[in-house]
Amino acid sequence: MSELHTKTLSEIAALLQSGDVKVVEVVKHCLDRIEATEPRIKALITVMGDEALKEAEAMDAAGPDPSKPLWGVPMVLKDLLTTKGVKTTCGSKILENFVPFYDATAVARLKEAGAVFVGKANMDEFAMGSSTENSAFFMTANPWDVERVPGGSSGGSGATVAAGQCFGALGTDTGGSIRTPSSFCGIVGLKPTYGRISRFGLIAYGSSLDQIGPMTRSVEDAARLLQVMAGHDPKDSTSVDVEVPDYLAGLGREDLKGVKIGLPEEYWGEGLDEEVKEACAGAVAQMQKLGAEAVPVKLALTEYAIATYYIIAMAEASSNLSRFDGVRFGYRNKKAEELIDMYTASRTEGFGDEVQRRIIMGTYVLSSGYYDAYYNKAAKVRRLLRQDFDKAFEQCDFIAGPVCPTTAFVKGDKADPLQMYLMDIFTISANLAGIPAMSLPVGLGKDSAMPVGLQLMGPAFCEAEMLSVAERLERALPPLSIPEL
Amino acid sequence: MKISPEEVAKVASLSRLDLPEDKLELFAGQLGDILAYMDKLGELDTDAVEPLYSPVKHTTVLRRDEVRKDYRREEILANAPEQDGQFFIVPRIV
C-alpha cells in the first residue's frame, strides 16, 4: 500500500491488529519515507532502521497482540528521552555519544504497548528554543515550506509526523515546545497537566515546567498515546497519583452544547497576525455552531508571563545543566590538567550559545543579591498567574486562543534572543500554571499558506474533556493533508 | 538594567564557562536587554504573595529498606570519558 503513510496512528494500529498489513511492511514504508524526505526535512538525529526491522520481524512471527494498543506502530521520540542502548543527544555536542542504559518511563510504557521506534528527533539543544535552529547538529525544515522553521523545541518531532515519516511522536513542552511545532507543522500536540506523565528519563531543562506529550495527526491518536503513558510513576516525585480516565471514551460526541469557551482579550488583540486571528476565530465560530457558548474572560497578567517564565526556566536550567561536567558521561576536554579546568573547558566546548546564555542568566538570577529580586519575585508572580487561570475557569470550561502570534517564520528571521522569547507569549502561562493545553490545526493562513493552530487550555487533569471537545471540532473542520514533498 | 562584560565573565566563571572577549561583549548586551525586560515584574505588588515553586506537591516515595541492585557497575561506567572498570578517572585535584 503506497499510501500507508497517510493513515492516522489509530487507522494503522487497526490494520496491524487485523493482520491486513504486516509490521515489517509498515516499518519498511516509514523507513522508505524517511529516506525520501530526510534530505530536505532533516527531522531525525538517529534513524533506528536495523533495530526497528529486527523487532518488526519478531512481532510478525509472533502475530498481533490485542492486549497491546500500539502493536507494531512506528513512532519517533524526541532526542531528550532516554532510550536503552540508543544514542540520546539532547541536540547537544556535550551528549553526542551518550548511550543510556535505561528507558524513560514514557518510552518503556510505549514499548510495552507494542510501539516500534524508528528514530530520535532533532530538537533545539536541551530544548532551549522555539524554532529548532539551535540544534548542535543541523536545522530541521518545515515540511510545508522547507525555507521555514518547524517551530521548537520539538521541531524534529513535529516535522517527522507532518512529513509522514511515522504515525506519532513524543515531544516535551517547557514553554510551548509541543504546541508551537504542532501549530507550525499542522498537527495535533498535547501538553498534559504537569504530573500526568512521568518525567523519569526526560533530560531536564526546567524541572517544574517540563512535560512529555503526544504529537500526532489526529486528536484520537493523541488520546491513544496519552492513555498508554499517563499514570503515576514512583520513580518521579512530581508524578501525581490520581486515577487515569478513559481518554477514548468521550470521543465521538455529537455537539458542543453546554461547553463554555473563554476568549481572553489578551490573546486576541495587538500583536496577533491577521491570518492567524482569522483562522482561529473561524474555528471558534465553528465551535459556537456546534453549540458551544463563547464568553469573554480576563487573563490580566499575561504581559508578565514571559519575564516570569524565562527567569524560572533559566534558573532551573542553570541548576539542571550543572551535571554536565565531563566526569560520568558526555563530552570531555582531554587537554585540561586539573579538575576545575576540565569542567570549564568541557562545558565551554560542549554547550552551544543559547544554552550558555541561559546558564549564565540562570546563575545570575539565582546569585546572592539578585535571588529575591528575580527568582523569588518570579515565583510569586507565578502564583498570581495561576490564580488568574483559576478565576477564568470559574467562568468557562476551556480557554481558546492562538498558539503563536504568527505562522512558521523563515529560518534566521528571529536572530535576537529576546525577539524569539516573545514568540512564546501565548503558550508559557500553561506551563507556569501546570495546566493542560493543546494545539489543534484549524487551517492554513490566507497570506502564508502555512498551518495555523488553535490552542485550548483547561483546568488541571481535564484532558479527557479537552480531547473530547477538540475531536468534535476536528471533525467539523476541513482536514489538512500531508504536505507535498 | 546594564550588565558589563566583566560581570558576565564573573557569572560565567561561577557556571564553569570560559567565554572569549567578543562573546562576553555580545552576551552583556543581550543579557542587559533581557534583564531590562524582566524588570517589568517590579510593577506588581507581591509582598503578600506566597511563591509558587512547582505546580504539584512533590511526593518522596520510599522503597522498602532492602539491598537491591538496579544497574550494573559496567553500565554506569560505560559512558564515562575515562574509567578503569572500577572508578571514574578525573584529572588531579591537588
Side-chain angles (χ1 to χ4, degrees), chain A residues 54 81 109 146 166 180 184 205 217 240 246 248 298 308 336 341 343 345 363 384 421 461:
Chain A
K54 203 171 153 190
L81 295 164
R109 287 183 180 176
V146 293
C166 62
T180 302
F184 282 9
Y205 156 27
R217 288 200 291 273
V240 179
D246 185 339
L248 293 163
K298 288 285 285 176
T308 306
D341 294 341
Y343 293 158
T363 306
L384 295 177
Y421 301 165
F461 299 107

Side-chain angles (χ1 to χ4, degrees), chain A residues 303-362:
Chain A
E303 64 172 306
Y304 300 98
I306 289 180
T308 306
Y309 169 80
Y310 277 98
I311 290 171
I312 290 170
M314 291 180 190
E316 293 184 4
S318 71
S319 171
N320 278 323
L321 270 57
S322 62
R323 74 191 62 173
F324 299 99
D325 54 12
V327 174
R328 291 147 296 151
F329 43 75
Y331 174 81
R332 175 187 287 192
N333 172 289
K334 297 279 169 56
K335 291 179 195 153
E337 292 180 0
E338 294 197 12
L339 188 66
I340 302 293
D341 294 341
M342 186 205 77
Y343 293 158
T344 303
S346 301
R347 289 165 62 81
T348 303
E349 291 164 17
F351 290 133
D353 283 359
E354 184 60 31
V355 175
Q356 291 184 350
R357 190 160 33 236
R358 294 194 194 196
I359 289 174
I360 291 170
M361 185 63 104

